[in-house]
Amino acid sequence: MRKEFPMLLTVVAALAVILSQFFFHIYNLGWLDVLDKWSNLMWAIAIGLGVINLTLIHGKKIMRRAPGYYNSIVLLLVLYGYGILGLITTTEGFHHKWIFDNIFAPMDATLYGIIAFFITTAAYRAFKVRTWEATVMLLAAMIILLGSAPIGEAIWGYWGDVRSWILNIPNTAGMRGIILGIYLGGFATALRVMLGLERAYLGGVGGR
Amino acid sequence: MLLAQDAPALGVFVPGNVAPFFALLVFCALVYIMIQRARAGQRIPEIRKIPGLEAIDEAIGRATEMGRPVHYTPGLGEATNVQTLASFAMLGHVAKRCAQYDTRLLQTNVEAFVMAINQEVIRQAYLEAGRPDAFNPDDITYHSPEQFAYAASVLGMYERERPAANIMFGAFWAESLLFAEGGAYLGAIQIGATANTHQIPFFVAACDYTLIGEEMYAASAYLSKEPVLTGTVVGQDLARIGVFALIILGTVLAHVGETNWLTGILTK
């Protein structure tokens, strides 16, 4: 029963969504809206449980003076401090917004910025001419770079056209093939879950 | 969203969804036929060799030899994301191998629901491997619901724990390259799998093995070698042949200027 009941719920919810997508009269019953509301409600309950869980785990850590307990103090201070501030001033309040705009946003942007450097190092390894596939990739990348950078246009006026051709014809064709496979594969996976053939999400190995 | 003045197509269908409904029926029929053939013990085609999946045991074996942990992340997808659903099966396999080889598995999460499921998947895998005592719930960690806070936290964990194998299997966005390059700096064997097409090039550039697109969805069938699961993959491939036939038909009709009736059927 521990596995059968969740599976039954999965099948019923999936059928409700599928039938609502295709059948006009079932769509008008509004099952999708009901499921959406339940989903939001579950998220809200999960957040509440998460806060209680975090408080208990880190509270115990602080009480026991476990290694790294000072990190737990910071976590609880930020969790409750920022939460209470948001409740008092609303998320549009000056102090709440200031903390978000001047601490969270720059740190987020900084980490995002690191990707530029990582792209360079990853590309360096990937573009080493070791195989003919890597050579083709390197040539395509060089043409795309020359077609995108102003220097390419200065060297030869048609780099932009070649770049557009590579992006719009072979690249799009390949990408659409991959996307087609992804959609069919994704649906086959969903079907396996619905039919109870893939039960890994209930705890198990190798799809069963 | 349907409007009040909308009328059902053919009396019952949501307008615009008639062709997708019949396409779905054909797809389900193909998968069902293949499952029945597999159940009856009739011959069905095998899944071709997928190097990225073959390399999983090699990666975990290397981590075991080096005495270093294995890191597994399902990415940022929610539990309802089909990529995350595919990831659970892979995690079960990885956890079972780690339990058998007595190798520490570090599993990081960004989603609370996904973490709860992952805990159960790993616990069950250790149980099936006969090593419930080796299961350590503290190695399954929740980091942050924020994309880059999670990425920063995982990169910090890389430095502290230095995993020798890094398996990234699920829905990834911009953090994919941070994980993959971070792992490359450690010299870890890296296996990346995602169906998010904008992230596949990053995995191809930075990982030792990449599962592209639908290969990740075939993982559970490939690893379990169960004929019934393989049957669903075969059915999916037959559907793909049908779609390609439709593309060729559309291309021919477009060249002779006769596409109206086909688009009329497909958009009904």
Side-chain angles (χ1 to χ4, degrees):
Chain A
M1 198 59 193
R2 192 175 147 267
K3 291 199 173 180
E4 280 75 7
F5 185 64
M7 260 182 61
L8 187 70
L9 276 180
T10 308
V11 172
V12 169
L15 277 177
V17 172
I18 289 174
L19 295 176
S20 298
Q21 292 291 339
F22 292 117
F23 295 103
F24 190 85
H25 303 291
I26 298 175
Y27 180 93
N28 283 337
L29 292 174
W31 290 353
L32 289 179
D33 291 337
V34 173
L35 284 173
D36 265 355
K37 281 177 189 158
W38 284 4
S39 171
N40 289 340
L41 191 68
M42 280 168 62
W43 276 110
I45 292 170
I47 287 172
L49 286 174
V51 170
I52 294 168
N53 196 25
L54 270 179
T55 309
L56 288 174
I57 289 171
H58 289 278
K60 277 181 196 162
K61 220 171 163 183
I62 295 165
M63 303 276 266
R64 282 190 280 113
R65 294 285 190 275
Y69 75 93
Y70 39 85
N71 292 322
S72 298
I73 296 175
V74 175
L75 187 139
L76 290 182
L77 279 176
V78 172
L79 176 70
Y80 283 99
Y82 199 55
I84 291 167
L85 188 66
L87 287 173
I88 295 168
T89 66
T90 77
T91 51
E92 290 303 311
F94 175 78
H95 293 100
H96 193 277
K97 206 165 174 310
W98 189 90
I99 290 172
F100 186 88
D101 290 345
N102 293 283
I103 297 177
F104 177 84
M107 287 201 294
D108 214 43
T110 303
L111 212 66
Y112 191 50
I114 292 174
I115 292 174
F117 299 100
F118 277 3
I119 285 175
T120 315
T121 53
Y124 173 74
R125 283 202 314 278
F127 292 161
K128 274 184 191 168
V129 184
R130 284 176 300 203
T131 58
W132 72 269
E133 290 102 329
T135 313
V136 171
M137 203 152 99
L138 176 66
L139 284 174
M142 291 300 292
I143 294 169
I144 300 293
L145 279 173
L146 285 169
S148 306
I151 195 170
E153 197 73 11
I155 295 168
W156 186 48
Y158 295 101
W159 281 125
D161 296 334
V162 180
R163 169 190 171 275
S164 299
W165 183 84
I166 288 176
L167 286 179
N168 294 334
I169 309 295
N171 177 62
T172 305
M175 199 52 92
R176 284 184 183 166
I178 291 173
I179 290 170
L180 189 64
I182 286 170
Y183 279 121
L184 289 171
F187 190 75
T189 303
L191 203 61
R192 283 200 292 269
V193 171
M194 264 184 67
L195 295 174
L197 296 172
E198 186 149 325
R199 297 193 286 262
Y201 68 100
L202 299 171
V205 174
R208 302 292 281 181
Chain B
M1 190 68 192
L2 289 176
L3 300 173
Q5 69 267 25
D6 282 334
L10 301 179
V12 281
F13 293 105
V14 169
N17 280 356
V18 179
F21 174 74
F22 286 104
L24 182 75
L25 275 189
V26 171
F27 185 82
C28 290
L30 285 172
V31 170
Y32 178 77
I33 290 165
M34 285 302 140
I35 289 174
Q36 289 308 316
R37 278 181 68 91
R39 280 192 173 142
Q42 290 175 306
R43 194 183 164 277
I44 54 167
E46 287 177 9
I47 302 174
R48 67 178 163 79
K49 201 167 178 166
I50 301 176
L53 294 174
E54 295 285 324
I56 290 201
D57 286 359
E58 175 199 338
I60 298 171
R62 182 169 173 267
T64 308
E65 283 170 7
M66 295 174 79
R68 279 160 54 181
V70 172
H71 171 243
Y72 184 99
T73 169
L76 303 189
E78 294 175 0
T80 50
N81 188 315
V82 73
Q83 296 182 63
T84 312
L85 286 173
S87 171
F88 295 137
M90 173 53 77
L91 175 61
H93 178 80
V94 170
K96 193 170 182 180
R97 282 284 178 275
C98 284
Q100 286 166 342
Y101 295 168
D102 199 17
T103 301
R104 193 174 165 210
L105 172 64
L106 301 168
Q107 201 278 306
T108 59
N109 293 283
V110 73
E111 268 284 327
F113 280 138
V114 173
M115 179 182 165
I117 298 170
N118 284 343
Q119 275 175 330
E120 195 53 36
V121 169
I122 296 172
R123 189 196 310 273
Q124 186 67 26
Y126 273 74
L127 202 64
E128 286 180 23
R131 297 290 319 278
D133 53 306
F135 172 68
N136 181 7
D138 290 342
D139 283 338
I140 305 161
T141 46
Y142 178 78
H143 290 251
S144 167
E146 290 294 333
Q147 178 184 26
F148 291 116
Y150 171 54
S153 183
V154 169
L155 290 178
M157 182 276 292
Y158 279 1
E159 285 303 316
R160 290 189 300 277
E161 305 287 355
R162 306 192 72 75
N166 187 24
I167 301 168
M168 298 161 283
F169 197 101
F172 290 87
W173 280 265
E175 76 289 348
S176 66
L177 191 61
L178 294 173
F179 291 164
E181 271 303 279
Y185 287 140
L186 294 176
I189 285 194
Q190 302 205 94
I191 300 165
T194 185
N196 288 1
T197 48
H198 44 285
Q199 301 306 321
I200 292 171
F202 291 144
F203 277 159
V204 170
C207 292
D208 299 290
Y209 299 94
T210 307
L211 299 177
I212 296 175
E214 85 257 30
E215 285 179 341
M216 72 179 291
Y217 295 126
S220 64
Y222 188 90
L223 294 171
S224 67
K225 301 198 189 315
E226 279 196 39
V228 173
L229 289 178
T230 307
T232 63
V233 179
V234 177
Q236 166 197 328
D237 271 1
L238 289 174
R240 189 209 311 258
I241 291 168
V243 173
F244 276 122
L246 205 58
I247 290 172
I248 290 167
L249 176 67
T251 309
V252 171
L253 290 175
H255 275 84
V256 296
E258 285 289 335
T259 52
N260 285 348
W261 64 271
L262 186 63
T263 48
I265 291 172
L266 294 178
T267 57
K268 193 155 184 72

